[in-house]
Amino acid sequence: MLDKNTELALEDFENPVKLARFKQMMNETNQCMKNRERTGNPKDTDECENAELSQMNFWTFHTHPHGKSTPSGLDIQTSKRLGKKLMCIGLAPSGKIVCYDTIGKKIIKTF
């Protein structure tokens, strides 16, 4: 069972307009990665990440260019520091989204 604030965060995140924007961000990440491969620098992926924060204090969303579904230590620190309830990661190669609690241990929902 989710607490009320996490439920509100998930409800805010699931907005169809927002989900469409997140899919667009993953497409932009994929295009950036293709461009990096063409220029001979495919391992430097930081420039290809996209991020968005909720205007309310609910969630973070960012892309992982190589599709790693687990949050990094920096992902977790940033979400905690910002006081967010959800940390959602767009797995750019597959187009999937995975939302975690802010300690990065429990998957709340996948899209």
Side-chain angles (χ1 to χ4, degrees), residues 7 10 14-15 41 50 59 68-69 75 80 82 88 110:
E7 287 179 8
L10 193 56
E14 290 178 309
N15 175 303
N41 198 4
N50 283 307
W59 48 262
K68 183 179 175 191
S69 64
D75 295 340
K80 282 183 180 179
L82 295 171
C88 300
T110 58

Side-chain angles (χ1 to χ4, degrees), residues 7 17 20 24 27-28 39 48 58 64 75 77 79 93-94 105 110:
E7 287 179 8
V17 173
Q24 178 186 356
N27 288 336
E28 291 167 1
T39 61
C48 293
F58 290 146
H64 276 188
D75 295 340
Q77 281 180 329
S79 293
S94 68
K105 300 286 185 199
T110 58

Side-chain angles (χ1 to χ4, degrees), residues 44-64:
D44 184 11
T45 62
D46 289 346
E47 291 179 13
C48 293
E49 284 193 22
N50 283 307
E52 187 164 316
L53 305 174
S54 68
Q55 292 184 2
M56 293 181 249
N57 210 21
F58 290 146
W59 48 262
T60 64
F61 173 81
H62 72 281
T63 60
H64 276 188

Side-chain angles (χ1 to χ4, degrees), residues 4-107:
K4 182 72 172 164
N5 287 333
T6 303
E7 287 179 8
L8 288 171
L10 193 56
E11 184 179 308
D12 181 60
F13 186 85
E14 290 178 309
N15 175 303
V17 173
K18 289 178 184 171
L19 288 174
R21 170 70 185 125
F22 302 146
K23 295 287 184 180
Q24 178 186 356
M25 290 169 69
M26 286 188 282
N27 288 336
E28 291 167 1
T29 293
N30 284 329
Q31 186 60 49
C32 177
M33 290 299 292
K34 287 177 188 172
N35 291 342
R36 307 247 354 118
E37 288 171 11
R38 280 195 290 268
T39 61
N41 198 4
K43 294 185 185 212
D44 184 11
T45 62
D46 289 346
E47 291 179 13
C48 293
E49 284 193 22
N50 283 307
E52 187 164 316
L53 305 174
S54 68
Q55 292 184 2
M56 293 181 249
N57 210 21
F58 290 146
W59 48 262
T60 64
F61 173 81
H62 72 281
T63 60
H64 276 188
H66 288 299
K68 183 179 175 191
S69 64
T70 55
S72 69
L74 183 58
D75 295 340
I76 294 166
Q77 281 180 329
T78 301
S79 293
K80 282 183 180 179
R81 183 174 45 81
L82 295 171
K84 303 300 182 183
K85 286 293 181 181
L86 290 177
M87 172 180 31
C88 300
I89 300 168
L91 311 178
S94 68
K96 292 183 180 178
I97 298 172
V98 181
C99 294
Y100 289 88
D101 59 13
T102 52
I103 59 170
K105 300 286 185 199
K106 181 179 176 189
I107 295 175

